[in-house]
Amino acid sequence: RPGDQPVRMKDGKRILAVVPARSGSKGIPDKNMQPLGGRSLIARAAELLRSTDCSWIDRAIISTDSASYADEAKRHGLDAPFRRPPEFSHDKAGAVETMIHAMTEAETHFGERFDVVLIVEPTCPLRRAEDIARAVDLLLASGAESVVTVSRADTKFHPHKLLRMADDQLGFYDPAGAAVKARQSLEPLFFRNGACYALTRACLLDRQAVFTDNTRGLLIERDLVNIDEPIDLEFARFLVEQKGLA
């Protein structure tokens, strides 16, 4: 509630972090509650956002339709000021609409106005506080409308290396692929890794978009996992338990 914590801010901007965690995942049942290194994915996101390294975040909340997810989040330091309504809780619900709802509800609940919203998905559990801080620093320093963390795409999956098959005939997905002689000549490409999305208030509420013509990418060059399928969860457990990643 208003007045129950000091104003923190970063460069004079009030920051809201949102952990989106709907129930009903099809690939992995109760995906956001799956354990990794002795903690659920929700707990890992919550504890990072409430750590001293993220003390500049003014409010950190969960957006969920699940009472048990909300309870888990509160146990680990997040606020759960609302339940996500059904229209934002199915697998085709838009991320932008969901985040607009979260920011609007948070501002009403806390009686505060936020300048920046962070999307911190539980499904990227190997993120670090520095990834989130760097995303916000880049957003504010560059004048961008949004910043998206990315990883390098493996050249095996570059569009010029991909093939299509029709009637048992194999050919290049992009005809330009036939001219590629060495992978070193391929243009570097990137994919969203889910560590953090940082958006200005205007980007979310006025542009109603994550990607605009003024979006910056923040490259993270270390092992990360974005958990969608069971194999992703197993790989994350391998990295945590066998390689000792936090």
Side-chain angles (χ1 to χ4, degrees), residues 11-80:
D11 294 342
K13 305 296 184 183
R14 291 188 65 82
I15 312 293
L16 171 69
V18 181
V19 176
R22 71 175 184 88
S23 61
S25 171
K26 294 178 180 177
I28 305 174
D30 265 338
K31 175 171 63 177
N32 293 300
M33 291 287 282
Q34 290 298 311
L36 178 64
R39 293 172 289 158
S40 72
L41 299 186
I42 288 174
R44 294 178 72 93
E47 290 174 2
L48 182 64
L49 290 174
R50 296 290 71 184
S51 69
T52 55
D53 289 335
C54 288
S55 61
W56 47 268
I57 293 174
D58 292 280
R59 301 285 184 176
I61 67 172
I62 188 170
S63 169
T64 185
D65 57 324
S66 164
S68 63
Y69 285 18
D71 288 343
E72 175 75 352
K74 288 188 286 188
R75 278 193 294 272
H76 295 276
L78 295 184
D79 288 312

Side-chain angles (χ1 to χ4, degrees), residues 88-107:
F88 300 132
S89 300
H90 55 81
D91 57 2
K92 292 183 172 58
V96 170
E97 293 78 8
T98 299
M99 294 305 299
I100 290 173
H101 172 266
M103 175 177 262
T104 302
E105 290 292 317
E107 291 190 335

Side-chain angles (χ1 to χ4, degrees), residues 225-245:
V225 182
N226 200 340
I227 298 172
D228 289 316
E229 301 297 334
I231 188 64
D232 302 323
L233 183 58
E234 291 306 312
F235 183 49
R237 286 172 174 159
F238 167 77
L239 291 176
V240 169
E241 295 164 11
Q242 303 298 319
K243 295 190 69 175
L245 300 188

